[in-house]
Every structure is written in C-alpha cells, then in structure tokens.
Amino acid sequence: MGDHLGQLVELEISNVAHGGVMVARHGGRVVFVADAIPGEVVRAVVTDDSKAKFWRADTVEVLEASPYRQPHVWSAASIDRAPEERAGGAEFGHIAPAHQRELKRRVLADALQRMAGLEPAVIVEALPGPADGTGWRTRVRLHAAEDGTLGPYVARSHRVVEVADLPLATPEVASAALLAGRKDAGRKQPGRAARAHGSRSVDVIGPSTGEPIVLRHGERSGPITERVGDREFRLDAAGFWQVHRYAAEVLTTAVQEAIDPELFDPAAANLDLYGGVGLLAAAVGDRFGRDIRIESVEGDSGATGHARENLADWAGASAVTARVDRYLSTPGTGAGGLAGATVVLDPPRSGAGKDVVAALGALTPAQLVYVACDPVALARDLALFAGHGYRLSGIRAFDLFPNTHHVEAVASLVRT
C-alpha cells in the first residue's frame, strides 16, 4: 500500500455514500470521493490507499459538472483550494440545497432498506432560514494551531486553517468567532490563551438570549438561557444544545406529533432517555398537560440539574443522572416495568445499541419515539427493535445541518 498515494485519477461518480463522500470505481476498486456529485466526471487525487478494498480521493477538477453543482457557499472549502487547505465542516456546500436534501434522503432510505428491510416514503424537510443553508450554526468550535491561530480543521485532518468567514454560523457567532481568531498584537489572543492553558480549541456559543460567549474547550461559565417558543431552558454554556437555531423548535413539534395520543397514558412510567436538559420531556408535557408523569434520564449531572429546574412546571416530572443502559437494567429506578408507557430517546450519534434496545424490548413500552442523527445507527436499531416486537409506524427527516452530510430523523415505533 502507498504506491498510489497522490496519484491523479479520472472518476465517474455513481452514487452518494454515508459520511459525506461520493462513490466511484477505478480498476475494480471502490473509491470514496470528496467534493463531487453523483453523475459527474472528476479528476481526483488519491489521499488514502491503505485499504485493499477501497481508496479515498479528493476532487481537484470537475470535467463534467452536475447540473446541481453551485459555487461553494464557503470559499475556504472550495475545490479552488488545494485539498490540504480546504476547511472542513461544509462538505455539501458545493451542491444546490434541494439536491443536498435528496442525497441525504437516499442515504437514509438506503440504510433503512439494507439494514432493516424498510422502505418508508420519506423526504428530508428544510428548516426555516436562508435558502442557501447558511447562517444557522449557534455553536462553533475553532481549533488552536501552535502559533495561536484559531480556525477550523482541514477536512479529515487535524490541521488548522485560517479563514476569513464562517458562513454557516449565525452572524452574531461568526462575528465573535472571527474576532477571537484575529492576530492583533495589541490584545489578548484566545488561541494563544487556549494553548497556554493546555486547550487546543475554543468554543463560540450564541444562545437565543444574550450575547455570544467565547470559551476555551472544557472551560465552564455561568448558565445560559435558550428560548423555544414561549418556554425557556437553562443550561451550562458549554452544555449540549441543538446547533441549528431552529432545531429545538422543530424537534419539539416533531416529537409531539410523532406520539400516538391513543397510546399515550399520562399516568404510565413515561421516559425521556438521553434527556439532556429536558427539551423533549417538556415537549411531551406541553402536549399532554401538567398532570403527566415523565422521567428524564441523562448521564451528565450538570444537565440533569438543569432538567429538574426546566421541568418544574410538571409535578409528575423528574430527572435522574444515570447511564441509560444501567438505568433500564436497575430495579427500583422507575423503569421496572413500562407497560403502557411512551419512551422518547435521543441517543448520541452511535445510536442506542443492542443492550438498550434489548432492555426496552423487555420492558414493553406501548410506543417509542426515536430521535436519530445517524441514518446507519438508526437503521441498525430499528432492525433490533423489530426483533423485540416493534414496528416502524412513521418517520420524518429534517435538514438540521445544511451544507453538511448530516441529517436528523424522528421515528415512531409501536408494538406489533
């Protein structure tokens, strides 16, 4: 291996793959190609030939362009730059927004069919905001180079590249981040400060209330307030919150609509797993009233503390700090039996996994609403749930991350 590294190859792009790359073949070998679009013919440089079955390559020239190709929304990530200078984090920015959503739909549909034998009709729905998919990120992480320069990583690397703009960020976050990254000799440089304190990154957070906050990675500040409709949520500035400025509102409505009211029992042991600061538990409460019973389960104690405060409007709401798998397998936690219950789960990118699925299957809730940010993990878990007697009753997908390959889905499951 290594004989082909740096080689230029001409490739016909046939499809999209999970992970933001496209698929081509060269000499019988699969090549995963960045910065291309299905239907194009491109010239690409081989960047990884370490695997026997496939290579990776970066597009350097488009020989036959797709009608869906557009000037990249972020010049720092354009193929006009050498691959080693392209900023990461906007890998679909060269594709017309509607076609981005179509490619995400294909990835989701392929995963569901291939891994779970499911073929639901699904589209990827756009969120409010600019039609070009910019101006949505309320949280940005910049990395600190040895000289204190702050910037994003080059795609698929840990090399920092300096940039002049951050078009995916909200204007307020972009301004704060670019100001933090300046090299003015007359003022303190957050990048150098981060390196001096052993941190290699800086987070810029733009809450829906108040001014943007700049934090070294791992640094804590006072709580912030995020507003979703008429409701406010308190959380740590560095804590988890949906990144798209409209995502929390969209997911609140989607989860509310995904629950079958005929199966919902307000007195059952309803659960919000991986509950964070209580966003989705509150969504359930706001739909079904102040007398419902629901418990939020979250592994981060700081988030749990905020969840207790955020869910104070419901006398039957509670929040516990626990790993979800351990919580579901421990008697006396309130999850000893879930007959009649509704369970909302929003696991990390890796999904719930077989142990959590098996535990939920054994506890027999009436319905589940699964919020997923990875199509492959979702499809795997839906197949596992089918083995425990649950079928997919509905699914929606949302473009919570425009100009990237990521897509969010909300799936409803009921017992067969």
Side-chain angles (χ1 to χ4, degrees):
M1 302 299 171
D3 295 342
H4 303 279
L5 199 64
Q7 178 180 332
L8 287 174
V9 291
E10 186 174 310
L11 302 169
E12 184 174 341
I13 308 302
S14 60
N15 208 344
V16 60
H18 179 51
V21 291
M22 308 300 160
V23 180
R25 288 189 174 272
H26 182 76
R29 180 183 284 104
V30 171
V31 184
F32 295 116
V33 189
D35 303 315
I37 306 173
E40 291 189 327
V41 178
V42 303
R43 184 169 288 118
V45 59
V46 177
T47 57
D48 184 354
D49 65 348
S50 61
K51 306 294 184 183
K53 293 185 177 180
F54 66 86
W55 292 348
R56 294 188 181 276
D58 287 337
T59 300
V60 294
E61 184 181 0
V62 179
L63 303 177
E64 296 180 21
S66 165
Y68 303 110
R69 180 170 283 274
Q70 65 177 14
H72 205 292
V73 297
W74 193 9
S75 60
S78 169
I79 64 166
D80 296 335
R81 284 192 169 201
E84 63 272 16
E85 295 293 331
R86 293 175 197 166
E91 62 277 6
F92 274 13
H94 61 291
I95 307 171
H99 197 59
Q100 292 183 32
R101 295 191 290 274
E102 166 59 16
L103 295 179
K104 296 178 188 189
R105 185 203 64 79
R106 291 182 196 175
V107 170
L108 176 60
D110 175 72
L112 292 173
Q113 193 282 324
R114 181 167 44 86
M115 302 184 71
L118 298 168
E119 297 184 359
V122 62
I123 62 171
V124 176
E125 302 174 39
L127 266 65
D132 64 355
T134 60
W136 56 268
R137 288 195 70 100
T138 62
R139 280 138 176 84
V140 168
R141 175 164 294 174
L142 300 178
H143 303 278
E146 293 291 340
D147 65 356
T149 297
L150 283 177
Y153 281 144
V154 170
R156 296 172 297 281
S157 84
H158 288 87
R159 180 170 179 271
V160 176
V161 60
E162 192 171 9
V163 297
D165 61 350
L166 293 164
L168 300 195
T170 65
E172 300 82 6
V173 167
S175 294
L178 292 171
L179 183 65
R182 285 173 52 187
K183 294 182 177 179
D184 296 1
R187 63 179 191 86
K188 188 175 181 180
Q189 297 175 33
R192 288 190 182 276
R195 297 290 301 200
H197 286 81
S199 175
R200 292 180 175 267
S201 61
V202 170
D203 293 322
V204 182
I205 301 106
S208 55
T209 64
E211 297 298 316
I213 299 166
V214 179
L215 296 174
R216 292 191 299 272
H217 182 51
E219 181 182 10
R220 289 189 175 273
S221 75
I224 60 173
T225 300
E226 294 283 2
R227 185 174 291 116
V228 182
D230 295 330
R231 187 166 293 282
E232 291 186 345
F233 294 84
R234 298 271 281 178
L235 65 148
D236 291 341
F240 174 78
W241 188 254
Q242 291 291 337
V243 174
H244 194 295
R245 68 191 312 169
Y246 297 111
E249 181 178 345
V250 166
L251 289 179
T252 290
T253 301
V255 166
Q256 289 172 335
E257 294 176 350
I259 297 172
D260 183 345
E262 297 297 320
L263 296 176
F264 186 82
D265 180 357
N270 303 299
L271 294 176
D272 173 23
L273 302 179
Y274 313 94
V277 298
L279 172 69
L280 299 183
V284 178
D286 278 334
R287 181 177 182 195
F288 292 101
R290 294 185 181 275
D291 295 328
I292 74 161
R293 175 186 175 191
I294 191 165
E295 185 153 72
S296 177
V297 183
E298 166 59 45
D300 182 274
S301 60
T304 302
H306 288 301
R308 293 190 185 103
E309 179 183 355
N310 295 332
L311 298 174
D313 283 352
W314 295 274
S318 58
V320 299
T321 303
R323 272 181 41 172
V324 168
D325 56 347
R326 293 175 182 171
Y327 173 88
L328 293 173
S329 62
T330 303
T333 61
L338 299 179
T342 293
V343 176
V344 177
L345 62 159
D346 184 7
R349 194 168 301 282
S350 57
K354 65 178 182 179
D355 291 342
V356 169
V357 171
L360 284 170
L363 293 167
T364 64
Q367 62 182 324
L368 303 108
V369 176
Y370 189 135
V371 181
C373 58
D374 185 275
V376 170
L378 171 64
R380 178 205 65 206
D381 287 348
L382 291 181
L384 292 172
F385 274 119
H388 292 278
Y390 288 86
R391 65 174 176 83
L392 181 70
S393 59
I395 186 168
R396 294 174 70 184
F398 301 93
D399 195 12
L400 262 57
F401 313 93
N403 292 305
T404 80
H405 73 278
H406 298 291
V407 62
E408 196 92 356
V410 177
S412 302
L413 297 93
V414 297
R415 290 185 59 77
T416 55

